[in-house]
Amino acid sequence: MVVEVLRLGHRWGRDKRISTHVALTSRALGADKILFVSNDDHVKDSVNRIVEQWGGDFKFDVVDSWKQYIWSFKKNNGIVIHLTMYGENINEIMKKIIEKRQEGKDSKNILIIIGAEKVPKEAYELADYNVSVGNQPHSEVAAIAILLDRLFEGSSLYKEYPDAKIKVNPSDRYKSVEIR
Ligand SMILES: C[S@@+](CC[C@H](N)C(=O)[O-])C[C@H]1O[C@@H](n2cnc3c(N)ncnc32)[C@H](O)[C@@H]1O
């Protein structure tokens, strides 16, 4: 299963910090790729720098047409989830999504749409699932973290990268880091 995150509405300059956090959280919580609708070198460089030092194959990419991208993702049998405070509560819908993902012989790929500013109504219509992490407004970083954690059922928190140049040795007391 491949998990991708599509960031809609990123405002160049203004959103660079939060978009970087969305990207790094997506990587750390198990996604394989983040897609933007326009390039932002600050976000791209920050993501690539983390991947270079901390390992793995997380990708940053830019799509020409997000609607087209969603269409072809669905045509290839992928599941599209839009995170929105207006959607169905994650507590009710997640079991259905996990079952749907397992239908057929290979588990289906997943595309998660996450907004910055107001999300166009087409995103709601194109999504297979409009999912809320509660119906209160909060942050895209919190929303993506909780969705990915539920999707991977906690397992991504143990992820290790053999090619990492830096590795943390978990400790209940000390800061212990291995430089390879
Ligand atoms: C700061 S919010 C902006 C929401 C914007 N006012 C709108 O109407 O779409 C940015 C993104 O965070 C995510 N988000 C915020 N609160 C959420 C919630 N309770 N559940 C799921 N996603 C949420 C959504 O993806 C949203 O597009």
Side-chain angles (χ1 to χ4, degrees):
M1 172 183 66
V2 172
V3 177
E4 300 183 1
V5 176
L6 173 63
R7 171 76 159 151
L8 291 186
H10 167 82
R11 290 156 294 185
W12 195 88
R14 184 173 163 176
D15 287 329
K16 65 179 182 221
R17 194 156 182 271
I18 191 136
S19 286
T20 304
H21 288 184
V22 168
L24 298 185
T25 303
S26 300
R27 172 188 171 273
L29 275 289
D32 300 285
K33 189 189 234 186
I34 188 147
L35 302 143
F36 279 70
V37 291
S38 58
N39 192 26
D40 189 320
D41 281 336
H42 178 93
V43 182
K44 186 167 102 183
D45 294 347
S46 304
V47 170
N48 290 342
R49 209 169 38 247
I50 291 288
V51 173
E52 163 73 17
Q53 292 178 338
W54 291 83
D57 197 26
F58 185 78
K59 297 267 188 292
F60 174 100
D61 217 341
V62 178
V63 292
D64 289 333
S65 160
W66 61 269
K67 288 180 212 164
Q68 199 56 49
Y69 194 85
I70 296 172
W71 271 115
S72 50
F73 198 90
K74 288 174 71 148
K75 229 171 111 196
N76 288 321
N77 214 18
I79 301 172
V80 178
I81 302 171
H82 171 217
L83 274 167
T84 165
M85 62 184 267
Y86 306 104
E88 261 187 285
N89 196 301
I90 193 167
N91 286 344
E92 270 75 60
I93 197 74
M94 210 56 218
K95 192 165 173 275
K96 260 193 238 169
I97 296 177
I98 288 175
E99 279 165 13
K100 183 84 185 159
R101 184 191 66 182
Q102 304 298 9
E103 269 175 17
K105 68 174 170 39
D106 298 316
S107 72
K108 293 184 170 57
N109 296 336
I110 292 183
L111 178 68
I112 303 163
I113 305 170
I114 189 118
E117 51 182 354
K118 194 172 171 359
V119 172
K121 76 171 183 341
E122 290 95 326
Y124 292 78
E125 292 161 359
L126 286 169
D128 297 302
Y129 301 96
N130 286 289
V131 175
S132 71
V133 177
N135 301 109
Q136 302 296 320
H138 48 79
S139 145
E140 46 268 58
V141 179
I144 193 74
I146 290 175
L147 176 69
L148 288 171
D149 190 55
R150 299 277 178 102
L151 189 64
F152 289 107
E153 300 174 275
S155 64
S156 45
L157 301 187
Y158 298 104
K159 208 161 178 175
E160 292 201 359
Y161 300 97
D163 62 335
K165 293 181 182 149
I166 312 175
K167 183 182 175 292
V168 169
N169 296 318
S171 160
D172 67 347
R173 193 155 304 260
Y174 303 106
K175 183 171 159 184
S176 168
V177 179
E178 222 174 284
I179 310 288
R180 295 148 152 186

